[in-house]
C-alpha cells in the first residue's frame, strides 16, 4: 500500500539497469518501477536516476512521456529545444519527438516518468537523422 | 514543453480549490493539474497540497490512485490501515477502498496524484458506513 522512500530507493522496488540491452547510447542511469499498471489505470510510473555526467538514450517514439524531476538538475532536449531542468519541473515529451535527458556534470538528475503500459519501441537516430538536426541540437546530443 | 516549478506552483498551471462543490468534508487543500491527459495517455497528474492541519475528503470509488509525496508529511488512511507518509513515499489506493490524506498539524502535505481521465465519482461515507468502521479508523477520520 505504501512504498516507503529512503534515499531514492523504495521498499519492495528493485533497482534495474535503464535498459536491458546494454549499449553505449546511454550512460550511468538506473530504473525503478514504482507502479507497473493495472487494467483500470494501465500506465507505469518509473523513477530514473542519471548519475553526474550521465544521459538517457536520444530517441523518439509514438508514446508520450510526462516527466517530473524529483532530484538534482540537468538539461533536456525535446524536439529542437534544449532546456535546463531542476526540482519539480514537469516535462511533456510529445509523440515522435526527439528527446534526451542529461544530468549536470556535478549533480544527479532523478525523475518520475509516466508512460502507457502498451507502447511502441523507441527509435534511435540513424546517420541521416543526425545529419538533419539543427547544429545546436547536434552539439548537445550524445549518441 | 517544460512546466517550470517555483515554490510548489508551476508555470501555466492554475491553482484551484480541491473540489468545486465546496463542503466541509475537506479542509485547507488546493489542486493543480500538471498533465490533463491525451488520447494515447489518458491519465491526469494532479498536485494536491494540504496545509497544516488540513485533510482530503474521506471517500472511495472504482478508480485507483497512485500518489507520490513531494512535500512535507502527514498520514494516510487506506482501507483500515493508517500510515505515516513523508517525502517521496508512494501510496497505492486500490479500487473501492476508503482513503483520506491528512497533513501534520505543523507541516504541509503535498503530493502528485495519478488517475484515469475517465473515472467514477467518489462515494462519501454515510452513517451506516461510519458505524461499520474499525474503532481506530473511526477515531482517525474527519468527515
Amino acid at each position: 500500500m505504501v512504498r516507503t522512500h529512503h534515499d531514492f530507493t523504495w521498499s519492495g522496488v528493485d533497482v534495474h539497469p535503464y535498459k536491458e540491452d546494454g549499449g553505449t547510447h546511454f550512460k550511468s542511469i538506473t530504473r525503478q518501477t514504482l507502479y507497473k499498471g493495472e487494467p483500470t489505470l494501465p500506465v507505469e510510473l518509473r523513477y530514473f536516476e542519471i548519475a553526474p555526467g550521465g544521459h538517457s538514450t536520444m530517441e523518439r517514439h509514438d508514446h508520450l512521456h510526462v516527466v517530473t524531476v524529483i532530484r538534482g538538475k540537468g538539461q533536456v532536449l525535446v524536439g529542437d529545444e534544449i532546456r535546463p531542468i531542476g526540482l519539480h519541473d514537469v516535462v511533456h515529451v510529445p509523440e515522435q519527438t526527439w528527446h534526451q535527458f542529461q544530468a549536470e556534470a556535478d549533480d544527479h538528475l532523478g525523475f518520475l516518468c509516466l508512460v502507457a503500459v502498451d507502447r511502441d519501441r523507441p527509435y534511435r537516430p540513424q546517420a541521416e537523422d543526425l545529419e538533419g538536426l539543427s547544429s545546436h541540437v547536434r552539439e548537445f546530443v550524445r549518441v
Side-chain angles (χ1 to χ4, degrees), chain A:
Chain A
M1 183 193 82
V2 179
R3 294 201 182 282
T4 307
H5 163 265
H6 177 70
D7 197 20
F8 298 98
T9 62
W10 284 263
S11 59
V13 177
D14 295 326
V15 181
H16 291 280
Y18 168 55
K19 291 183 176 175
E20 301 298 342
D21 63 349
T24 58
H25 45 88
F26 59 87
K27 184 181 172 193
S28 306
I29 172 166
T30 58
R31 169 174 54 89
Q32 297 176 70
T33 301
L34 304 180
Y35 171 71
K36 66 182 176 53
E38 295 177 46
T40 57
L41 189 60
V43 299
E44 292 181 15
L45 184 66
R46 296 96 46 93
Y47 174 69
F48 293 102
E49 188 168 287
I50 311 180
H55 60 88
S56 66
T57 305
M58 180 191 181
E59 59 187 30
R60 60 178 168 81
H61 37 63
D62 281 338
H63 59 276
L64 309 179
H65 286 313
V66 178
V67 161
T68 309
V69 177
I70 64 168
R71 180 178 194 180
K73 55 187 182 300
Q75 294 186 85
V76 66
L77 166 74
V78 180
D80 61 2
E81 280 190 62
I82 296 160
R83 293 276 294 268
I85 50 173
L87 197 64
H88 299 154
D89 289 343
V90 176
V91 182
H92 179 275
V93 180
E95 57 189 26
Q96 289 300 345
T97 304
W98 290 118
H99 56 284
Q100 181 173 60
F101 292 85
Q102 298 183 4
E104 291 293 285
D106 60 355
D107 204 349
H108 288 78
L109 177 65
F111 53 87
L112 303 171
C113 178
L114 182 60
V115 285
V117 168
D118 288 327
R119 57 187 184 272
D120 61 321
R121 292 185 67 82
Y123 171 79
R124 296 213 313 270
Q126 306 303 303
E128 62 269 29
D129 298 307
L130 294 171
E131 285 165 18
L133 296 174
S134 306
S135 60
H136 72 286
V137 174
R138 206 160 49 225
E139 283 162 24
F140 175 79
V141 295
R142 301 181 200 150
V143 291

